[in-house]
Amino acid sequence: MDLDEALKARKSVRAFKADPVPLSLVNEILELARHSPSGTNIQPWKVHVVAGDVRRQLEAEVLAHRDTKPADAVAEFPRTSKRKEPYTTRMRTLGKAMYGLIGIPKGDEAANWRQWGRNYQFFDAPVGLIFTIDKDLDAMSFLDIGIFMQSIMLAAKSRGLDTCSQGAWNNFWTVTRRVLSVPDDEYIICGMSLGYADETSPVNTLVAEREPVASFATFHGFE
C-alpha cells in the first residue's frame, strides 16, 4: 500500500481480532515513525507498548478504578478549550453514527458507560500504546507527538494493521502511571490500539466524514 492509499484507507477501528502482532512488526513500525519531524528536532515522544499479561493487567486495573468514580477521571494536563460550531456538529454527527451502528440508543447511560470502557480494553486489540511527554514541554511538543502518532498509524495501515488513537487514556492516569512505572514528571497524553480489524463488526463500517479542501484552505498569491 502506497502513502496515498494508506491516507485514504486509515480510519479509527473500534473492534479488533485477537490475532497477535509480533514484536518485530511493532518495532518495524516504530523504526519508521522515529523519522517523524519535531520542532528543533527535540523528538519529545515517549511510548509504552503493552501486550500479553501487562496489557491485561492494565485493562483490569483501570476498569476497576474507573468504577470508583475517582478524581483522576479528567486529564492531568490542562484542557481548557471549548467546543463550538462547526466542531460540535462534527463531533455529534460522528457519535450518532457510531452509536447507531453499535445499537446504543440516545440516553442509555449504562450502555454508554460500558462502551466508554471499551477504550480501556484497547477495543480488544492485542497491542496498546500509551504516549507520554515531559511535563515541562509546551504545547508545540504536543503537536510533535500528534505527528509521531500519525506516522505510526500510516506505517501500521500500510502493513495490514489498523489503529485507533484514544484520548480516553489521559483519564484514570494514576493507575496507568503505577502499572507502567511512568515517571511523575511526565504527562500521560493518550493511547492507541494496534492490531487486525474485525471486519465482521458493524462499528468498523463507520467512515467519518471529511470536509472538502475549500472549507478549510485559503490560498494566497496564486494566479
Side-chain angles (χ1 to χ4, degrees):
M1 185 180 293
D2 66 20
L3 178 59
D4 288 5
E5 292 172 329
L7 278 164
K8 293 176 182 178
R10 188 219 60 81
K11 63 180 182 179
S12 295
V13 163
R14 295 179 177 87
F16 289 84
K17 298 177 182 177
D19 300 14
V21 178
L23 176 59
S24 59
L25 185 51
V26 178
N27 264 320
E28 184 178 321
I29 291 167
L30 293 176
E31 277 286 344
L32 286 169
R34 72 185 181 89
H35 294 285
S36 301
S38 60
T40 62
N41 196 38
I42 67 169
Q43 304 168 66
W45 44 77
K46 299 180 182 181
V47 57
H48 296 256
V49 185
V50 297
D53 289 343
V54 175
R55 195 202 72 86
R56 286 186 285 271
Q57 178 190 359
L58 180 62
E59 170 189 327
E61 295 197 23
V62 170
L63 286 174
H65 179 68
R66 185 180 79 120
D67 284 337
T68 69
K69 306 296 193 301
D72 64 345
V74 294
E76 184 182 18
F77 55 89
R79 291 187 61 177
T80 58
S81 65
K82 295 182 179 180
R83 294 246 170 90
K84 61 181 182 180
E85 293 298 344
Y87 315 116
T88 301
T89 294
R90 293 173 188 168
M91 177 181 67
R92 289 175 177 168
T93 298
L94 176 67
K96 182 178 180 181
M98 183 179 71
Y99 279 85
L101 289 169
I102 297 171
I104 297 177
K106 185 177 180 180
D108 190 336
E109 293 184 5
N112 273 275
W113 180 253
R114 288 193 299 272
Q115 179 59 30
W116 182 27
R118 295 276 295 144
N119 278 284
Y120 306 107
Q121 297 171 305
F122 293 105
F123 299 111
D124 297 328
V127 176
L129 298 90
I130 300 293
F131 298 88
T132 71
I133 188 173
D134 288 349
K135 288 181 177 179
D136 58 357
L137 294 175
D138 63 17
M140 294 305 294
S141 294
F142 283 67
L143 174 63
D144 294 335
I145 288 185
I147 295 170
F148 177 65
M149 291 175 64
Q150 172 78 332
S151 296
I152 290 172
M153 291 186 281
L154 293 176
K157 188 61 187 176
S158 71
R159 284 157 177 76
L161 292 160
D162 280 285
T163 55
C164 184
S165 55
Q166 299 168 258
W169 280 97
N170 60 46
N171 296 341
F172 314 119
W173 41 269
T174 56
V175 175
T176 304
R177 183 182 305 285
R178 174 174 52 79
V179 172
L180 302 183
S181 299
V182 177
D184 289 337
D185 61 356
E186 295 177 18
Y187 286 131
I188 294 166
I189 301 299
C190 59
M192 183 185 295
S193 301
L194 174 67
Y196 297 98
D198 179 358
E199 302 294 355
T200 68
S201 177
V203 72
N204 285 339
T205 65
L206 176 64
V207 178
E209 296 178 1
R210 292 292 190 265
E211 294 294 311
V213 171
S215 75
F216 60 78
T218 302
F219 297 93
H220 304 269
F222 289 88
E223 297 293 336

